[in-house]
Amino acid sequence: MSSSGLLWSCASQEPKPALLLLRKALVWPHPGAGQAFMLLWVSVLVLAPVSGKSEAAAKPVISLHPPWTVVFTGETVTLTCHVLHFHAPEKIKRFLWYLEGRILRETPGNTLEVRDSGQYRCQTQDSLPSDHVSLTFSSANLILQAPPFVFEGDSVVLRCRANAEITLDTTTLHRRGEVLSVSDESSDFRIEQASLKDNGDYRCSGFKNGCCSYSSNTINIEVQELFPRPVLTASLSPTVSGKSVTLTCKTQLPPLRSDVKLWFRFFKDDHMLQSGSESFLKIPTLTTRSRDPPYYWCEAQRGSSGVCKQSQKSQLRVQIPVSRPVLTLSPHGASVPEGHTVTLTCKAESGSFPILYQFLREEVVIQKMEPTRGIKSVMSLRAEHSGNYYCTADNGLGAQRSLPVYLTVTVPVSRPILTIWRPRSQVVEGDVVELYCRAWKGSPPILYRFYHEDNALGSSRVYSRGGASFKLPLSAEHSGKYACEADNGLGAWRSETVSLDVKVPASRPVLTVRTPRAQAVEGDVVELHCEAQRGSSPILYRFYREDNALGSSKVHSRGGASFKLPLSAEHSGKYACEADNGLGAWRSETVSLDVKVPASRPVLTVRMPRAQAVEGDVVELRCEAQRGSPPILYRFYREDNALGSSRVHSRGGASFKLPLSAEHSGKYACEADNGLGARRSEMVSLNVTVPASRPVLTVRTPRAQAVEGDVVELHCEAQRGSPPILYRFYREDVPLESSSAPSGGGTSFYLSLTTEHSGNYSCEADNGLGAQRSEVVPLSVIVPASHPTLTLRAPGAQAKVGDMVELRCEAQRGSPPIWYRFYHEDVPLGNSSAPSGGGASLNLSLTAEHSGNYSCEADNGLGARRSEAVPLSMSGLTGSRSGPIATGVTGGLFSTLGFGVVALLLYCRLPRKAGGRPTSDPSRSPADSDIREPVYHNAPAWLELQPVYSNVNPKGGEVVYSEVRRIPQGSKPAANSDSVLGLLRTHLPSHGQAASHRPSDPPGSSVIYSQVKVACPSAYVAPQS
């Protein structure tokens, strides 16, 4: 130990002063003791910051051999697991080795040879895992090797090592990117006395002359603290000769450097007290009173010239422990009303300052005072709590507690708290609950009363703390608000109300089906209402159809739940509901629901025995609605007129059979009605085909008679028969033409007439249901007379007065009878008829006046045609013969005209009186009834004519042909001799009422024709058939 001089190896580290206190206990002698003595209590209070680490945790440490973290691939590194000294080596039975956090191997010894890169750790059965050591096995050409751990003061070797195949001429060491050293002799670089300034990233590079350069890996070197800054501590230790203080300089080496020897120095103010390997120093006892205590500190150094660190400077003083304090209360007395102020005084008679006083009640600190340099401390409080009160005094050398002082505080009850203790989280009807009421403040005895909705349930008086209880068996009526009341005679207080909801299990619900009408109909929205008469809310209602869930609803109040269901046909069935409030589900009785489906729009089908409905067939009207609840009433209609109905009690529709007549054609429909609204089908048209009736053939001519060149209309019409009707026209059973009438009404065939068209005509009507032939209608084609030829036949070559000349007039063509009229210088001479064709003659006795131009005219009622004029000249004319002849001719003509007029008048009057049809045809145009046409008479023997009249126009045209026959006097008709009606026979058309065949000509009669136009208006038109 050296005590001379001052070594300042750590002088650059100027410490801050600290205070190092020694505790001194004063123990006063017992009264029975012979003498008093003082004993220093051995304890140390170090008021100095300690830097560095505490004692290392129980971790092993791994060392490497060779001591490099980077080696070449293929080399071997031996790991050694070092265990700290407090682990007995004989108790270690196994070593666990880890690689990258996974167990690599278990060995009985503490070494392991490895050849793989990674992080290695070791562990024993009683230790924590060691810190990891990273190893790299490199295949590079150049590597930089360094030890795994570097501490302050270490001499560090960095080796730049090339692959065995490479020889380098120069190696360079780099730190933080800068060149640190270059060597061409050795590959080792040394760092002497490593410190924090040597931290950083290192790498090396090598160069081979004339070849190439190489660069190594980078190694990070972090210099660790060898030991923390030392801490100076002090303790008292009694000796035989007196008291001394032991100063200790404390620090700690890391496990990896536990073999390093430290050198310690102790200092007092500016003088070194001791230097050596011992870390403690004993000094003489200190005086108790020192106004300027000295400063002490120490240094720790590695060896004699290594790392050196200095502790903080500290002062040493002697402290007197505080004595037991005494607590007093003011005002004095054992009882204080709550709310009054109480003063507490705590006093310690001895002890070093400062002293910290605290006041307590029942071990609970109620006030902590600021440290004071006085011998007592005072506090005031409001009296609230009864109990034992204490105080403590503490100057850092051990706290002292006073004796307890009991204070009784008379306290009115506080507002009690009501608690309901339940046998389960949710109380159910039938459970027993306990109502517990407690006022946390209040002097006993306390009377507790219990209430339900302000109705008293019971009461209990309690003489100590802890509250009172009341047990209540629950029913549904016990739901509500509960309260309790606490009263100790200083005022009653009622608790907050506590709600108690007594859950009642749901009763069996009732399901009601509410429909908008008497019957549930598809498309309606029905309401399923489920209600349990009893049961606590909320109740979950579930709705079912045939045990299939439809929906659910949670109801938080009474009244049940509803479920709305739009109905379809499939919703018929049995319904039920379920009520569940968590205390057991109950299902209702089932309710049947029959969903009526309105009849859908029916489909009407007409079933016929053949492809086409024919009059007389029986058809079946089939009506069916695809949807609809039975029974369904089917009604059948034709043109909105009811035909019949049928009620069907099952599916399949209904039928109605109908025998067809022509009137049954039309639109049919049916109606389906099941009481939920009638639906009518689409209209179905039925066309009853009627076989064509026997047609009627009508020949329509432009005039009364069919004339060659006219275009006649053959009109064929069947009065009955479904269109289209095909009409065929025949002449003498030879087909002429066919034509179709698509919509009925008959059809016509036009024929331009020639003489060959005369004959019997008929027609045929056919609508596919059988052809019908009409009656035969004869057609006679009249040919107009052609231009006649007049021929004069005289007895000699030269006509002379007195000769009888024959005027012969003949038309080569023309239908008989033909009227021939003879003219002399356009003055009529007479006329004559050719009933069977051929020509006619007029004999003329010539006179002198007969010279001139003669002509004749042929007329068969279809237009008169005049011949060419033929001149006649005579020789030896005399005037004596002309007078009588002319007079005779003229008289004969006028007599003939008179008879014609009489016949015409009778013809016009007879139909009016007899109800017959006039012979005039009103269809003829006025142009055909020119009354100015001349009337010819041929009367060569006037006195011998006995007229008999008959109508020779059977078709009833405007022209009336009167036959004037010459009858021998001895053969007059006896039946009609007294009446002119017996002499007149009228031939009406074949369809008239008075139609008759032409009477046979009287024997021996000759005919004189007279053409008379109708001069009277038609008085009667026969009704059409």
Side-chain angles (χ1 to χ4, degrees), residues 25 43 78 87 221 237 245 353 438 452 512 525 533 545 602 737 743 775 819 867 872 892 912 926 935:
S43 63
T78 300
H87 289 289
I221 293 180
S237 57
V245 175
F353 301 121
R438 181 176 181 180
H452 171 233
T512 306
V525 177
Q533 295 300 320
R545 175 185 171 273
E737 185 64 62
S743 55
E775 294 283 345
W819 280 94
S867 68
L872 176 63
R912 294 193 188 101
V935 178

Side-chain angles (χ1 to χ4, degrees), residues 21-274:
L21 300 177
L22 296 180
R23 295 175 179 173
K24 177 179 179 182
L26 298 179
V27 182
W28 298 102
H30 192 271
Q35 60 182 22
F37 63 94
M38 178 184 292
L39 176 65
L40 289 177
W41 184 16
V42 182
S43 63
V44 178
L45 174 63
V46 180
L47 299 179
V50 179
S51 61
K53 300 177 182 179
S54 62
E55 185 175 356
K59 288 184 180 181
V61 176
I62 297 178
S63 63
L64 307 178
H65 183 77
W68 312 119
T69 57
V70 180
V71 296
F72 282 114
T73 302
E75 295 179 344
T76 301
V77 175
T78 300
L79 308 181
T80 302
C81 187
H82 299 277
V83 182
L84 298 180
H85 63 277
F86 51 82
H87 289 289
E90 63 274 6
K91 293 183 179 180
I92 300 176
K93 298 180 180 179
R94 58 188 178 91
F95 292 84
L96 284 177
W97 298 90
Y98 297 87
L99 175 61
E100 300 295 344
R102 295 188 296 273
I103 295 177
L104 176 64
R105 192 174 305 167
E106 180 178 335
T107 62
N110 66 338
T111 61
L112 176 70
E113 291 186 353
V114 296
R115 294 180 178 83
D116 297 317
S117 298
Q119 292 183 345
Y120 290 87
R121 305 175 84 176
C122 72
Q123 182 183 11
T124 67
Q125 70 268 21
D126 297 325
S127 71
L128 297 174
S130 68
D131 292 332
H132 66 80
V133 174
S134 295
L135 285 180
T136 302
F137 290 85
S138 175
S139 59
N141 291 322
L142 184 65
I143 61 175
L144 177 62
Q145 294 178 315
F149 305 104
V150 177
F151 291 92
E152 292 176 302
D154 286 356
S155 177
V156 181
V157 176
L158 302 180
R159 178 168 295 172
C160 189
R161 183 179 170 197
N163 193 300
E165 300 176 356
I166 300 175
T167 301
L168 298 177
D169 296 316
T170 303
T171 56
T172 304
L173 180 65
H174 305 265
R175 182 180 67 186
R176 296 192 288 270
E178 297 179 357
V179 175
L180 190 64
S181 177
V182 179
S183 174
D184 53 0
E185 297 178 356
S186 173
S187 60
D188 289 350
F189 299 90
R190 187 175 299 274
I191 301 175
E192 300 293 345
Q193 297 290 322
S195 63
L196 296 180
K197 64 181 179 59
D198 296 314
N199 289 342
D201 292 334
Y202 290 81
R203 71 176 182 87
C204 70
S205 60
F207 179 73
K208 184 176 182 180
N209 293 333
C211 176
C212 46
S213 62
Y214 302 92
S215 180
S216 73
N217 54 291
T218 299
I219 290 180
N220 178 264
I221 293 180
E222 182 178 351
V223 179
Q224 302 181 47
E225 187 179 46
L226 179 63
F227 57 90
R229 187 175 185 179
V231 176
L232 180 65
T233 63
S235 63
L236 293 174
S237 57
T239 62
V240 176
S241 58
K243 308 295 184 295
S244 64
V245 175
T246 301
L247 301 179
T248 304
C249 191
K250 289 187 176 182
T251 188
Q252 184 176 353
L253 291 169
L256 288 173
R257 295 293 185 269
S258 60
D259 57 340
V260 173
K261 300 299 181 181
L262 294 181
W263 196 263
F264 296 96
R265 301 183 185 89
F266 293 90
F267 299 88
K268 177 182 178 182
D269 289 335
D270 295 333
H271 300 280
M272 185 174 63
L273 301 178
Q274 177 179 302

Side-chain angles (χ1 to χ4, degrees), residues 644-701:
S645 63
S646 177
R647 188 178 298 274
V648 178
H649 294 270
S650 60
R651 295 190 177 274
S655 297
F656 180 80
K657 292 190 177 180
L658 182 67
L660 294 181
S661 64
E663 294 75 17
H664 287 135
S665 290
K667 293 184 176 179
Y668 287 77
C670 69
E671 197 173 68
D673 186 2
N674 62 352
L676 303 175
R679 298 296 300 274
R680 185 166 288 199
S681 70
E682 295 279 348
M683 303 291 287
V684 176
S685 295
L686 178 64
N687 185 22
V688 180
T689 305
V690 180
S693 62
R694 188 173 190 180
V696 174
L697 178 64
T698 305
V699 180
R700 297 174 180 172
T701 60

Side-chain angles (χ1 to χ4, degrees), residues 722-984:
S722 299
I725 301 176
L726 178 64
Y727 290 96
R728 301 183 186 90
F729 296 88
Y730 298 89
R731 176 181 173 275
E732 304 296 348
D733 292 330
V734 176
L736 295 176
E737 185 64 62
S738 63
S739 178
S740 177
S743 55
T747 187
S748 297
F749 173 66
Y750 293 91
L751 185 65
S752 182
L753 296 179
T754 64
T755 55
E756 293 77 12
H757 288 138
S758 294
N760 292 321
Y761 286 80
S762 63
C763 68
E764 192 175 70
D766 186 3
N767 63 351
L769 303 175
Q772 295 288 332
R773 180 76 64 97
S774 70
E775 294 283 345
V776 173
V777 176
L779 177 64
S780 177
V781 180
I782 304 299
V783 179
S786 61
H787 283 283
T789 301
L790 178 63
T791 305
L792 300 180
R793 296 175 181 173
Q798 181 70 39
K800 299 185 296 288
V801 174
D803 288 345
M804 183 64 68
V805 178
E806 180 186 1
L807 303 179
R808 178 70 178 177
C809 187
E810 184 175 0
Q812 296 299 318
R813 296 182 74 253
S815 299
I818 301 176
W819 280 94
Y820 289 98
R821 301 180 187 92
F822 296 89
Y823 298 91
H824 173 236
E825 299 293 347
D826 292 329
V827 176
L829 295 177
N831 54 38
S832 179
S833 173
S836 303
S841 298
L842 176 67
N843 293 323
L844 182 62
S845 177
L846 296 179
T847 64
E849 291 81 6
H850 288 149
S851 294
N853 292 319
Y854 286 82
S855 63
C856 70
E857 196 174 66
D859 187 2
N860 60 354
L862 304 176
R865 304 296 296 273
R866 180 76 62 94
S867 68
E868 297 286 340
V870 176
L872 176 63
S873 61
M874 294 178 294
S875 62
L877 296 175
T878 64
S880 59
R881 299 177 60 185
S882 61
I885 296 173
T887 301
V889 172
T890 304
L893 291 174
F894 278 102
S895 63
T896 302
L897 179 60
F899 283 113
V901 170
V902 172
L904 179 61
L905 293 175
L906 291 175
Y907 171 74
C908 291
R909 289 186 62 192
L910 286 177
R912 294 193 188 101
K913 295 179 182 181
R917 180 175 176 178
T919 58
S920 64
D921 187 355
S923 64
R924 292 181 59 87
S925 64
D928 293 335
S929 59
D930 189 1
I931 62 174
R932 293 179 298 172
E933 290 187 7
V935 178
Y936 299 96
H937 298 273
N938 186 5
W942 173 259
L943 297 177
E944 296 179 353
L945 292 177
Q946 299 294 329
V948 176
Y949 301 96
S950 65
N951 189 356
V952 296
N953 185 10
K955 298 298 181 179
E958 292 181 357
V959 178
V960 178
Y961 290 94
S962 297
E963 294 181 359
V964 183
R965 296 183 180 276
R966 183 172 58 81
I967 303 174
Q969 294 181 357
S971 59
K972 292 181 179 178
N976 298 322
S977 61
D978 58 347
S979 175
V980 72
L981 295 175
L983 303 177
L984 180 63

Side-chain angles (χ1 to χ4, degrees), residues 996-1014:
S996 64
H997 295 287
R998 179 172 175 171
S1000 60
D1001 295 338
S1005 64
S1006 61
V1007 180
I1008 300 175
Y1009 286 92
S1010 176
Q1011 177 178 343
V1012 182
K1013 291 288 184 177
V1014 175

